Amino acid sequence: MIGKVWVFAEADEDKVTTATLEMLTKAREVGETVEAIYAGQANAEAIATTVGAHGATKLYVIDPGDGLPGQVAAAGIAQLVAEQSPDAILFAQTYDGRDAIARLSVKLDKPVLTNGMSLSDEGGLAFGTAIFGGVTLVDAKFTDGAPALIAVRPKSFAAEPSGAGPAEVQNVGTPDAGRAAEAKVLDHHVEAQQGPKLEEATVVVSGGRGIGSADNYGPLVEELAKLLKGAWGASRAIVDAGWVPYALQVGQTGKTVKPKVYIALGISGATQHLVGMKNSDNIVAVNKDAEAPIFSVADLGIVGDVHKVVPQLIELLKAK
Amino acid sequence: MNVVVCVKQIPDPAVPGSLEADHTLNRSGKLILDESDSYGVEMALQLVDTAGGGEVTLVSMAPNNEVSGLRTALAMGAAKAILVSDPALVGSDALSTAKVLAKSIERAGGVDLVLTATESSDGYTGTVPAQVAELLGWPAVTFAKHVEIGDGKVKVQRQTEAGYDMVEAPLPAVVSVTAGVVEPRYPSFKGIMAAKNKPVDQVTASDLGLDASQVGWSGARQEITNVEQAPARQAGEKFEDDGTGAEKVVAFLEQLKVV
Ligand SMILES: Cc1cc2nc3c(=O)[nH]c(=O)nc-3n(C[C@H](O)[C@H](O)[C@H](O)COP(=O)(O)OP(=O)(O)OC[C@H]3O[C@@H](n4cnc5c(N)ncnc54)[C@H](O)[C@@H]3O)c2cc1C
Ligand SMILES: Nc1ncnc2c1ncn2[C@@H]1O[C@H](COP(=O)(O)O)[C@@H](O)[C@H]1O
């Protein structure tokens, strides 16, 4: 085991993100002591309860003021590192997680290991990642002194509670982040989001260029997802085309999902898309090209036209 | 308004990647402009145009004095480029790369804004932008989906899980832009011809005052212990839709108890 592992915790309002809980669960397995750091204005007690229930004994709370949380947090974490000497710090590969790990790496002059998908304590800290869009797996060992800075791809580990009580809260205040703190958040715009989150849904229905046009996304993809009480996603092709927002993108540069059922409609199955969904429990694909690579990962493949198969499917489900 | 755009020159993503014996990426083929960086180049050209003065300078670190990707961006309209190429830089990780880029930006001088992509297509660490900002001691706004300049500040719509945040930072600053912020122009024939004569300042790590022990493989401080193919997932059943495709899907979902 390695000694002390820290996890950079993130929260959506007062709800700790699943990616954070996944990292805490893994940290318990490889580290003797697990502690969390949170930068933001959410209710610290609520965060401490959840991170505590997943193994963190302590929660350091940084107040980023009106700065960007990740950009400001790095200064606070660097200070804590000097005092507490952790062996490893895990960050989720998210917007704020990346900001924090990047600035911290410069402050500590340490390399960052990114896109982490596995972690073990065999003979020191070992780390696994995938390159070339997920087709080649690489294991690496960190050869520098502590702390190891690791960015983890969400959905790489399972999240399981340890059942422990709340973490002890320690307020760190607002660190002096220099000009990094000059990037100010003026306001938040929340785009209406319905239904379950992509990363948490039991069923995910995604659409690709094969659905034909932006207008077809609602009646085909969203409609089917809603009937299955699931979330809807997309390939990069239709995000880049402006048919749907980036938040829906599944794949290497988007989200990683692992639902019970993933339904791909008119998606070819490029490696960069597959890396984001191929660990789903079950995969269903509808594509008119029998040779489409998506079929190589599908448990059930329908070689057909989405404009015929999907409306029929929606009718059948509505009739239930 | 002087803007630097960090542009990476990468192996063609359409060609499957491979590793060298020392586990560094094989970059022997011709390199091209990372498509993700074409958005930064376009954004920079538009911002300078709106400001009514100044120029766009490219900064790139690449092996073998590779310029073909830079020429593409110069043909789009950038004025000049700094190219850092040095055998000592082979195997550079994100932090080493950021050190090289930050020094190059200082070399360019008088810079108001640095643009990068959110992540490179071949490395996809996504850490270089904020590392560069930290090295320069500047604010950074990552994941910009809309960028405006006014009153010595950059105003950004920053992508979030729920939508976007309005973020403002005083210049000079580093901003990373997402794909799709703007529509990159195609280089015109005139642009391509003009690009051939635009200045490319070719420098080495030591020209930038960087010590070889800080960059390249020795700077990466990690050891690759194993490389293998990811296990392939088994394909299941595949049916030609004869009008019963939808029924098959329903039966499958029922069996899984999701309906
Ligand atoms: C660095 C990098 C990162 C990337 N990251 C991502 C990422 O995160 N996520 C991602 O998705 N992609 C990513 N890509 C892009 C990826 O390589 C593919 O280009 C993209 O996934 C293709 O999207 P698509 O399947 O919707 O479109 P296409 O590849 O155009 O496929 C459309 C499919 O629809 C089928 N079709 C057409 N009409 C019908 C019909 N009527 N009925 C049924 N089927 C039909 C066609 O047979 C085809 O298979 C990345 C690429 C790079 C280089
Ligand atoms: N070698 C390089 N030369 C120029 N810019 C780079 C280089 N590496 C990374 N960048 C910039 O930093 C961004 C993020 O890269 P990365 O952190 O590797 O994902 C890229 O999209 C580029 O804009």
Side-chain angles (χ1 to χ4, degrees):
Chain A
M1 291 253 256
I2 54 173
K4 193 186 286 180
V5 181
W6 283 357
V7 170
F8 182 69
E10 293 182 60
D12 186 1
E13 313 249 301
D14 289 344
K15 195 169 172 284
V16 179
T17 63
T18 318
T20 305
L21 305 181
E22 292 162 8
M23 292 190 293
L24 287 167
T25 307
K26 193 65 186 182
R28 250 154 54 205
E29 191 185 306
V30 299
E32 278 156 21
T33 312
V34 178
E35 296 177 344
I37 301 163
Y38 168 70
Q41 269 101 18
N43 180 330
E45 300 304 325
I47 310 268
T49 302
T50 318
V51 298
H54 288 79
T57 49
K58 205 166 194 176
L59 175 69
Y60 298 97
V61 178
I62 296 170
D63 181 359
D66 55 1
L68 287 162
Q71 301 279 347
V72 176
I77 302 173
Q79 213 175 299
L80 288 168
V81 167
E83 294 161 15
Q84 312 280 338
S85 319
D87 293 283
I89 316 180
L90 310 183
F91 298 77
Q93 191 110 7
T94 51
Y95 307 112
D96 292 340
R98 279 199 260 208
D99 282 357
I101 199 172
R103 290 226 179 232
L104 185 62
S105 82
V106 173
K107 290 187 184 290
L108 304 178
D109 194 27
K110 294 274 171 221
V112 288
L113 304 172
T114 46
N115 287 297
M117 292 165 67
S118 70
L119 204 59
S120 84
D121 53 356
E122 277 167 53
L125 193 60
F127 155 95
T129 181
I131 58 172
F132 304 139
V135 296
T136 304
L137 301 180
V138 177
D139 291 327
K141 242 183 201 138
F142 188 66
T143 57
D144 201 22
L149 306 182
I150 301 176
V152 178
R153 272 196 86 92
K155 293 283 159 204
S156 296
F157 314 125
E160 277 153 31
S162 66
E168 178 201 334
V169 175
Q170 183 176 327
N171 282 307
V172 181
T174 305
D176 176 9
R179 289 206 61 213
E182 290 179 12
K184 305 274 186 210
V185 181
L186 305 180
D187 52 50
H188 305 286
H189 287 256
V190 177
E191 285 162 0
Q193 194 181 0
Q194 310 148 288
K197 287 188 155 188
L198 261 178
E199 304 95 312
E200 286 161 20
T202 313
V203 177
V204 172
V205 182
S206 286
R209 197 161 10 215
I211 64 168
S213 73
D215 294 340
N216 292 333
Y217 188 83
L220 294 179
V221 185
E222 256 185 64
E223 177 78 8
L224 179 58
K226 283 178 186 159
L227 278 169
L228 295 169
K229 299 189 177 56
W232 45 96
S235 73
R236 173 159 158 181
I238 73 166
V239 171
D240 285 356
W243 296 2
V244 293
Y246 169 75
L248 300 189
Q249 185 172 316
V250 172
Q252 180 183 310
T253 34
K255 298 221 160 79
T256 305
V257 298
K258 221 171 168 179
K260 187 165 180 192
V261 186
Y262 185 88
I263 304 179
L265 305 175
I267 292 179
S268 61
T271 52
Q272 297 94 350
H273 185 80
L274 298 184
V275 70
M277 45 63 78
K278 71 179 171 192
N279 290 325
S280 303
D281 294 348
N282 298 281
I283 298 172
V284 177
V286 182
N287 192 303
K288 69 175 184 190
D289 173 10
E291 302 304 318
I294 190 78
F295 289 126
S296 69
V297 300
D299 300 291
L300 174 64
I302 304 294
V303 181
D305 186 343
V306 288
H307 302 292
K308 290 205 184 111
V309 179
V310 182
Q312 282 173 11
L313 185 52
I314 288 171
E315 282 315 307
L316 287 171
L317 290 171
K318 277 189 177 157
K320 296 246 158 222
Chain B
M1 170 90 182
N2 291 319
V3 184
V4 162
V5 190
C6 296
V7 296
K8 196 168 182 184
Q9 303 179 80
I10 63 166
D12 189 339
V15 179
S18 65
L19 292 179
E20 301 282 4
D22 66 355
H23 299 315
T24 57
L25 283 183
N26 176 348
R27 298 183 190 273
S28 57
K30 185 173 166 291
L31 302 183
I32 60 169
L33 174 68
D34 186 344
E35 196 200 315
S36 307
D37 284 321
S38 60
Y39 300 97
V41 175
E42 178 63 39
M43 184 87 246
L45 291 168
Q46 292 186 12
L47 291 174
V48 165
D49 205 39
T50 309
E55 60 184 13
V56 176
T57 304
L58 309 169
V59 162
S60 188
M61 176 182 103
N64 312 322
N65 294 306
E66 180 66 60
V67 290
S68 38
L70 281 177
R71 292 286 172 213
T72 306
L74 289 168
M76 287 172 71
K80 57 187 179 12
I82 297 177
L83 169 66
V84 193
S85 200
D86 191 329
L89 296 171
V90 171
S92 285
D93 70 334
L95 182 56
S96 301
T97 304
K99 286 176 182 172
V100 169
L101 298 177
K103 289 284 183 196
S104 310
I105 292 159
E106 282 168 359
R107 185 181 175 95
V111 178
D112 300 300
L113 179 70
V114 171
L115 296 180
T116 70
T118 53
E119 60 183 38
S120 61
S121 295
D122 60 342
Y124 51 99
T125 78
T127 57
V128 167
Q131 285 171 322
V132 167
E134 180 69 22
L135 287 158
L136 293 169
W138 293 2
V141 186
T142 52
F143 286 92
K145 54 178 219 156
H146 184 83
V147 183
E148 267 171 52
I149 302 284
D151 303 328
K153 286 182 185 154
V154 59
K155 251 192 161 176
V156 169
Q157 289 181 7
R158 179 179 190 248
Q159 186 82 53
T160 60
E161 277 304 318
Y164 66 88
D165 285 351
M166 273 310 306
V167 182
E168 196 179 77
L171 300 175
V174 176
V175 172
S176 79
V177 298
T178 61
V181 269
V182 282
E183 187 62 46
R185 69 192 69 182
Y186 286 105
S188 63
F189 178 69
K190 220 176 110 207
I192 295 168
M193 295 314 285
K196 295 196 167 124
N197 298 317
K198 287 183 175 170
V200 177
D201 177 18
Q202 301 209 4
V203 297
T204 62
S206 61
D207 290 337
L208 296 173
L210 286 167
D211 178 31
S213 71
Q214 287 181 293
V215 291
W217 245 135
S218 44
R221 291 167 279 178
Q222 53 180 297
E223 180 195 343
I224 306 289
T225 52
N226 189 40
V227 176
E228 62 183 41
Q229 286 312 105
R233 193 186 164 110
Q234 285 296 324
E237 289 184 291
K238 188 164 77 177
F239 301 97
E240 197 74 45
D241 179 37
D242 54 2
T244 63
E247 284 163 33
K248 291 201 171 73
V249 177
V250 173
F252 185 74
L253 296 175
E254 276 176 341
Q255 181 202 322
L256 294 172
K257 302 201 165 47
V258 294
V259 289

